[in-house]
């Protein structure tokens, strides 16, 4: 009994000791420890009940000394928010900057005005990549570029490995914003290279790695809203990534990487909301039609009203989920802004059944408010959705199309429309595949608004690098001055080349995509790029061979040769006899007869031996 | 006389009999999987919207394999066309394998390694044999080693010994067989489970000759594989019968399932699949009834528990002081433990030692790379040839005696 008592005491002592052992250090948020990560969401209602959403993510890496090679003994790499996949890629390919664009859809410039962020973050329909690579010569630069494109194709699940010499151009004046970059080795040069895969399919597999590069990885903050189902249901969406190397000017010669990631989408709000209730866009029942009462209205007639102009839009309805929380580790909290017309629109932030509003319609998601963890919701209300904050007018409208018919030649027609009072100076960049054999001598400028037009007035500078078959695309770069209030049309002709049998893609009859033309609008005084826009891509139909013909020819020829040979052989070798004759011959010289003879021989020899 | 005629034949047959076996089991019969990692190669080979079901097949397998634990870094997904974000798709970003739309196969986190025009015969063979240029990214390579179990699934349109890639080119069953042999010689797999869902699928594995490959095909030669059902809203068929019933079985599997591949094969009946499913087991060492589903579809490793592991650091210190460091280390040497357990599996009696020595020469040949299968095949053909010749000779000697006699008397 004393023993059991002793055990009890021992037990309690032990428990006490164990309980005291729980003074482990707590993991909490040290308020002074912040990481460089900014995320912002801008909502801008557009005319026609459309909505533009712009997600912006900005990150910075820890500083490094470019003079110290990453292979040296003392080198170490320290990552906080910056994705770990990028710096080794930049280091191994000597890349100072690269810019990647995944865009899909049509940006309606007439209704929506300028592209977001001055067009600098949007690409053409498909995938576009350009980078600034440091190398000793052009060949080495191309090797680094190829390595970069291949690595990015693995990272972003995109077919960037198809980027080769026949798709890469070295832009002269376009993409000038990518020119200011540090050079780590004075004996080498920086080379700007650009390639594009027009109309490359863009889907969730491109979005997934993008989200995983960001530190929140889709689990909290604004990245929790990024969902392929909603993003790719929009009228226009663009995913872009910009990585640049920035070196500080002070004496410590340290550099760091900066990453800017954007996701922009323009959706039609009523159809996006309707998809939540009716996944398939079916016609409405008669009961749910909104009919115009002023016009004849009965069970057989209904003049539908246009889309309602009042709205109470919740972000959680649009994305089927609220924003989980603000990011928990950044310098500045997550920011949501609404660029709305203050007279008819209001913007509120809703969290834990509390509605907040601010004077400038910008909200910061600090996590003190989100105590229940139910997330943040953003509410846009309007009494008249036709009143939106004014869209920035586009400096120049450009449209490009193919002309001509037939399988051996065609033309390209680019139309510029300048609505402004001042002339617009722009750089027109075009990269055409080698099988589009351009005749620059057929270049013509015409106008419906001005007569007495001279080509030199419009195109002030021309750069043309001819294509080399399978080696280089045709590279056109024109500096153009479009007069005020004018319509200028530029046309030129080309011949279509024939490709080799194995060069045709599996669905050759679909046609071949031609890259979009890139237009960089320069400011009139300083010649700095102000706005960037791209035309649409073009689908060129080349003459495609009938791929079944080799098989057909072989079969037909072999059949005919077989028939001829067979007929001749029969005529020469065979003899027609009657059945009785045949039997007699067979009896005396057939296979059975020979075998019998052989057997007789063997048996006879045996018999003779016995005898 | 008849018996006298037959006797040499019998003796000949008996002499040749030991050499006519095709299977040479080199090691003792293993019953548990000893792989350390699992990989999956999932290939869809068809283009165009009306082949939606092939994409859905592959994505269903992708989802299964991912659900059971194989990470994206060990899955190579090859989708030959984009259906999720196709403008014809009424549900952008979604791919369904059933008209009830219960599961969205595309989901939120999908990584496609080869898409669109990248899915070609050349890239597939290069992937299996790992022959790439130095620029090729690691995420698109099959980085397997000799301890990897690989699940290879192919679907599309196929025929007699071929599979159509993107409506433009074909891969022959001999090509895949040769690629697997290269993989065997380079020690790039421990076991391969090859599943193919096309028309006349069983012909695709008929030419394999490398060991440790288990193959299943959805239909015999001259037989078509059928789609299961169409979705009116999507407008095309959404899944094939074979894959549908495969998934029917696999959806009930989780990581600690003890069901075997034989259970999977038993669930395939002609009434459900409308075609004869074929299984090829002769190249595979283990019996399908011993192979767990999770050996190929999940990322489960067999763990040998170290029974004599100390419970805590204090225990280690205490025991070390008590019995001495050397003794403690000896008792707790994991390497020794692993070797011990290994020896348990291969308990050798005298006969085993004898057969081991006898078979060691075969093993040597295997290492050098000589074709074991062809050696056995030639032995078989020699046996058959000999028998055939003997039978002809006997036929000549014994047949048609009456007619010969008649001729003799006639003349």
């Amino acid at each position: 009994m004393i023993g059991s008592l002793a055990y009890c005491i021992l037990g309690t002592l032990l428990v006490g000791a164990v309980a005291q052992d729980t003074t482990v250090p707590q993991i909490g948020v040290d308020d002074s420890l912040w990481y460089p990560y900014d995320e912002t969401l801008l909502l801008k209602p557009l005319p026609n009940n459309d909505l533009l959403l712009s997600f912006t993510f900005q990150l910075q890496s820890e500083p490094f000394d470019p003079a110290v090679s990453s292979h040296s003994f003392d080198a170490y790499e320290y990552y906080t928010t910056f994705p770990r996949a990028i710096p080794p890629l930049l280091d191994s390919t000597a890349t100072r900057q690269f810019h990647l664009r995944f865009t899909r859809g049509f940006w309606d410039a007439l209704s929506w005005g300028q592209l977001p962020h001055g067009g600098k973050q949007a690409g053409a329909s498909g995938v576009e990549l350009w980078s600034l690579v440091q190398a000793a010569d052009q060949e080495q630069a191309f090797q680094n570029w190829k390595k970069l494109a291949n690595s990015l194709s693995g990272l972003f699940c995109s077919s960037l490995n198809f980027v080769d010499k026949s798709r890469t151009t070295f832009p002269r004046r376009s993409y000038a914003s990518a020119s200011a970059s540090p050079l780590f080795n004075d004996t080498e040069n920086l080379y700007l290279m650009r390639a594009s895969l027009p109309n490359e399919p863009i889907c969730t597999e491109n979005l997934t790695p993008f989200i995983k590069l960001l530190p929140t990885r889709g689990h909290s903050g604004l990245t929790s809203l990024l969902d392929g189902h909603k993003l790719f249901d929009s009228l226009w969406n663009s995913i872009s990534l910009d990585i640049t190397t920035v070196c500080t000017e002070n004496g410590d010669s340290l550099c760091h990487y900066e990453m800017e990631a954007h996701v922009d989408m323009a959706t039609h709000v009523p159809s996006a909301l309707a998809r939540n209730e009716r996944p398939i866009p079916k016609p409405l029942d008669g009961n749910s039609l909104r009919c115009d009462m002023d016009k004849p209205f009965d069970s057989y007639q209904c003049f539908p009203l246009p889309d309602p102009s009042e709205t109470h839009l919740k972000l959680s309805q649009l994305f089927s989920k609220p924003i989980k929380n603000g990011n928990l580790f950044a310098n500045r909290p997550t920011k949501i802004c609404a660029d709305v017309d203050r007279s008819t629109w209001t913007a509120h932030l809703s969290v834990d059944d509390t509605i907040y509003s601010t004077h400038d319609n910008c909200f910061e998601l600090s996590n003190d408010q989100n105590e229940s963890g139910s997330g943040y919701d953003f509410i846009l209300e309007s009494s008249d959705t036709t009143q939106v904050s004014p869209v920035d007018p586009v400096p120049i409208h450009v449209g490009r199309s193919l002309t001509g018919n037939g399988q051996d030649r065609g033309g390209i027609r680019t139309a510029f429309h300048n609505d402004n009072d001042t002339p617009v100076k722009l750089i027109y960049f075009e990269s055409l595949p080698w099988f589009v054999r351009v005749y620059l001598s057929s270049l013509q400028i015409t106008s419906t608004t001005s007569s007495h037009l001279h080509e030199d007035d419009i195109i002030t500078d021309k750069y043309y690098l001819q294509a080399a078959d399978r080696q280089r695309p045709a590279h056109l770069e024109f500096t153009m001055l479009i007069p005020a209030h004018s319509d200028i049309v530029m046309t030129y002709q080309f011949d279509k080349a024939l490709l080799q049998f194995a060069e045709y893609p599996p669905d050759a009859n679909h046609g071949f995509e031609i890259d979009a033309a890139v237009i960089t609008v320069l400011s009139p005084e300083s010649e700095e790029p102000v706005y960037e826009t791209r035309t649409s891509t073009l689908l060129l139909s080349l003459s495609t061979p009938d791929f079944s013909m080799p098989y057909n020819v072989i079969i037909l020829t072999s059949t005919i040769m077989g028939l001829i040979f067979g007929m001749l052989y029969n005529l020469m070798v065979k003899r027609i006899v009657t059945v009785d004759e045949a039997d007699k011959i067979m009896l005396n010289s057939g296979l059975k007869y020979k075998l019998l003879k052989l057997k007789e021989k063997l048996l006879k020899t045996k018999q003779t031996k016995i005898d | 006389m008849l018996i006298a005629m037959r006797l040499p034949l019998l003796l000949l047959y008996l002499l040749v009999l030991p050499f006519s076996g095709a299977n040479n089991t080199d090691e003792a019969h293993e019953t548990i999987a000893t792989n350390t990692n699992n990989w999956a190669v999932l290939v869809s080979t068809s283009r165009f919207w009306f082949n939606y079901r092939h994409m859905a097949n592959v994505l269903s397998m992708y989802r299964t394999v991912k659900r059971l634990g194989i990470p994206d870094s060990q899955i190579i997904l090859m989708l030959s066309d984009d259906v999720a974000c196709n403008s014809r798709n009424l549900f952008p970003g979604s791919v369904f394998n059933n008209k009830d739309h219960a599961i969205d196969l595309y989901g939120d986190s999908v990584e496609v390694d080869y898409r669109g025009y990248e899915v070609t015969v050349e890239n597939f063979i290069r992937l299996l044999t790992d022959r790439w240029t130095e620029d090729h990214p690691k995420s698109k390579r099959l980085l397997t080693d000799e301890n990897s179990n690989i699940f290879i699934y192919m679907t599309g349109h196929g025929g007699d010994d071929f599979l159509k890639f993107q409506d433009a080119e074909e891969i022959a069953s001999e090509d895949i067989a040769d690629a697997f042999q290269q993989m065997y010689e380079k020690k790039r797999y421990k076991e391969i489970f090859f599943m193919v869902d096309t028309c006349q699928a069983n012909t695709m594995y008929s030419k394999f000759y490398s060991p440790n490959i288990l193959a299943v095909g959805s239909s015999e030669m001259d037989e078509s594989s059928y789609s299961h059902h169409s979705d009116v809203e999507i407008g095309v068929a959404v899944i094939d019968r074979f894959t549908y019933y495969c998934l029917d079985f696999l959806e009930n599997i989780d990581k600690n399932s003890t069901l075997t591949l034989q259970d999977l094969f038993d669930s395939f009946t002609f009434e459900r699949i409308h075609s004869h499913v074929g299984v090829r087991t002769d190249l595979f060492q283990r019996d399908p009834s011993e192979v767990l589903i999770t050996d190929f579809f999940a990322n489960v490793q067999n763990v040998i528990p170290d029974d004599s592991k100390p419970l805590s650091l204090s225990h280690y210190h205490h025991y070390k002081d008590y019995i001495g460091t050397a003794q403690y280390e000896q008792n707790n040497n994991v390497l020794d433990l692993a070797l011990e357990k290994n020896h348990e599996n291969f308990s050798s009696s005298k006969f085993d030692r004898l057969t081991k020595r006898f078979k060691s020469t075969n093993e040597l040949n295997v290492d050098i790379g000589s074709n074991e299968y062809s050696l056995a095949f030639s032995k078989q053909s020699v046996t058959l040839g000999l028998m055939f010749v003997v039978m002809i000779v006997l036929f000549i000697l014994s047949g048609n005696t009456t007619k010969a006699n008649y001729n003799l008397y006639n003349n």
Side-chain angles (χ1 to χ4, degrees), chain A residues 408-429:
Chain A
D408 54 347
R409 64 180 77 97
I412 288 187
R413 176 184 188 274
T414 314
F416 299 86
H417 177 73
N418 184 2
D419 262 337
N420 305 326
D421 300 327
T422 53
V424 171
K425 187 155 190 185
L426 57 91
I427 303 172
Y428 178 82
F429 170 89

Side-chain angles (χ1 to χ4, degrees), chain A residues 427-485:
Chain A
I427 303 172
Y428 178 82
F429 170 89
E430 212 167 19
S431 160
L432 299 165
W434 62 266
F435 45 83
V436 172
R437 300 196 202 279
V438 174
Y439 289 102
L440 211 59
S441 53
S442 63
L443 182 71
Q444 268 189 329
I445 306 279
T446 52
S447 170
T448 50
T449 49
S450 357
S451 46
H452 314 297
L453 210 59
H454 213 255
E455 193 189 295
D456 291 337
D457 294 334
I458 305 293
I459 303 181
T460 53
D461 187 49
K462 260 191 224 176
Y463 175 79
Y464 173 51
L465 184 64
Q466 305 97 311
D469 276 7
R470 301 174 185 85
Q471 294 298 320
R472 209 170 57 202
H475 175 186
L476 287 135
E477 235 173 307
F478 298 156
T479 307
M480 300 172 75
L481 187 69
I482 312 292
H485 292 291

Side-chain angles (χ1 to χ4, degrees), chain B residues 108-126:
Chain B
D108 287 330
S109 163
V110 59
E111 286 183 18
V112 181
D113 298 295
Y114 291 87
R115 60 206 294 249
Y117 297 137
E118 293 178 76
V119 178
T120 57
V121 173
E122 183 190 338
N123 280 354
F124 180 62
I125 303 274
R126 279 181 184 275

Side-chain angles (χ1 to χ4, degrees), chain A residues 104 147 150 153-154 157 159 161 200-206 208 212 227 229 233 275 280 506-507 599 602, chain B residues 47 82 85 90 92-94 104 106 108-110 112 115 117-118 135 137 139-140 166 233 396 400-401 404:
Chain A
R104 130 185 233 263
K147 198 168 169 189
N150 274 320
S153 94
C157 301
S159 301
N161 49 310
E200 170 79 5
I202 296 169
C203 205
T204 315
E205 66 261 22
N206 301 115
T208 308
K212 289 190 176 151
D227 176 15
H229 300 98
D233 194 16
R275 204 177 259 284
I280 307 161
D507 54 351
K599 197 204 78 179
L602 291 167
Chain B
R47 183 158 270 276
D82 170 44
C85 294
L90 214 44
S94 305
D104 176 12
Y106 228 59
D108 287 330
S109 163
V110 59
V112 181
R115 60 206 294 249
Y117 297 137
E118 293 178 76
D135 288 337
S139 64
K140 285 165 119 171
Q166 301 242 24
E233 290 158 1
I396 294 164
N400 283 343
T401 43

Side-chain angles (χ1 to χ4, degrees), chain A residues 109-147:
Chain A
L110 287 171
S111 315
W112 300 339
Q114 283 194 10
L115 284 161
H117 316 287
K120 297 194 170 69
Q121 305 302 134
S125 192
V127 182
E128 198 172 331
L129 171 70
W130 67 95
S131 81
L132 211 58
V133 170
Q134 177 182 307
D137 56 18
Q138 190 153 328
E139 190 50 45
Q140 178 64 33
F142 180 76
Q143 294 306 320
N144 284 345
W145 160 259
K146 190 97 178 64
K147 198 168 169 189

Side-chain angles (χ1 to χ4, degrees), chain A residues 350-364:
Chain A
S350 153
V351 55
D352 281 346
D353 298 324
T354 323
I355 313 264
Y356 297 87
S357 74
T358 59
H359 64 280
D360 59 352
N361 283 338
C362 277
F363 301 85
E364 286 185 356

Side-chain angles (χ1 to χ4, degrees), chain B residues 126-395:
Chain B
R126 279 181 184 275
L127 174 80
L128 290 179
T129 54
D130 202 32
R131 292 176 185 273
W132 294 109
T133 56
E134 55 194 11
D135 288 337
H136 203 77
K138 271 208 160 75
S139 64
K140 285 165 119 171
R141 289 171 58 188
L142 190 64
L143 301 168
T144 51
D145 54 15
E146 68 268 18
N147 293 320
S148 308
N149 274 7
I150 315 179
F151 168 55
I152 302 180
Y153 176 81
M154 299 182 77
T155 184
H157 291 288
D160 187 4
D161 277 304
F162 72 89
L163 207 144
K164 198 165 66 153
F165 263 70
Q166 301 242 24
D167 211 19
E169 52 180 359
E170 291 149 11
I171 190 171
S173 53
E174 289 91 353
D175 295 333
I176 305 184
D178 289 337
F180 283 169
Q181 177 63 11
Q182 269 200 54
M183 287 174 80
Y184 174 67
E185 287 172 3
K186 287 186 189 176
K187 295 195 187 330
R188 278 168 60 72
Y189 69 91
K190 192 170 203 62
E191 288 171 341
I192 287 181
F193 180 43
F194 182 75
M195 189 187 267
V196 53
D197 185 0
T198 67
C199 300
Q200 307 189 41
N202 295 355
T203 54
M204 286 309 288
Y205 59 68
S206 57
K207 301 287 192 303
F208 291 169
Y209 54 93
S210 317
N212 291 336
I213 301 178
L214 182 64
V216 60
S218 61
S219 52
E220 283 295 325
M221 186 156 78
D222 293 332
E223 215 181 32
S224 293
S225 289
Y226 298 96
S227 66
H228 190 261
H229 66 269
S230 300
D231 181 343
V232 186
E233 290 158 1
I234 293 178
V236 285
V238 290
I239 188 111
D240 280 334
R241 293 197 85 91
F242 176 72
T243 309
Y244 179 85
Y245 286 107
C246 230
L247 290 169
D248 208 27
F249 184 89
L250 291 170
E251 282 293 310
N252 300 326
I253 303 285
D254 53 4
K255 282 188 214 185
N256 50 17
S257 157
T258 51
L259 289 173
T260 63
L261 282 181
Q262 191 57 50
D263 299 326
L264 176 65
F265 300 154
D266 292 337
S267 74
F268 297 143
T269 61
F270 184 78
E271 287 72 33
R272 292 163 127 199
I273 299 187
H274 294 184
S275 56
H276 293 100
V277 171
V279 180
R280 183 165 178 188
T281 54
D282 62 328
L283 296 167
F284 200 66
Q285 274 190 355
R286 302 190 281 152
D287 194 63
S289 54
E290 294 159 355
V291 181
L292 296 176
I293 303 264
T294 52
D295 288 345
F296 286 104
F297 285 89
N299 202 18
V300 174
Q301 283 102 46
N302 289 309
V303 178
I304 302 172
D306 184 359
D307 296 329
S308 50
K309 196 172 146 80
L311 297 165
S312 66
L313 213 58
S314 60
H315 186 271
Y316 166 73
H317 284 301
H318 172 76
Y319 259 85
K320 198 181 69 171
D321 296 334
Y322 186 64
I323 57 173
T325 314
Q327 183 68 24
Y328 185 86
E329 295 294 342
Q330 199 206 342
N331 285 350
N332 293 293
N333 193 332
V334 178
L335 207 59
D336 282 341
L337 186 74
L339 285 170
E340 231 181 80
K341 298 247 166 163
N342 229 12
H343 283 310
E344 266 170 25
N345 285 339
F346 305 125
S347 59
S348 51
S349 67
K350 245 189 180 166
F351 177 68
D352 278 346
R353 260 184 264 132
L354 196 72
T355 49
K356 266 196 199 159
R357 209 181 300 154
F358 179 70
K359 284 166 186 163
S360 63
T361 48
N362 277 346
E363 237 178 293
L364 193 64
N365 285 343
V366 164
D367 280 344
I368 290 173
S370 76
N371 208 331
E372 214 185 302
Y373 180 86
S374 67
L375 194 63
F377 181 75
S378 63
K379 281 180 191 157
Q380 249 186 340
S381 62
V382 158
T383 319
L384 284 170
L386 274 171
M387 278 164 59
F388 192 65
V389 162
V390 162
M391 280 169 74
I392 286 179
V393 166
L394 281 172
F395 167 74

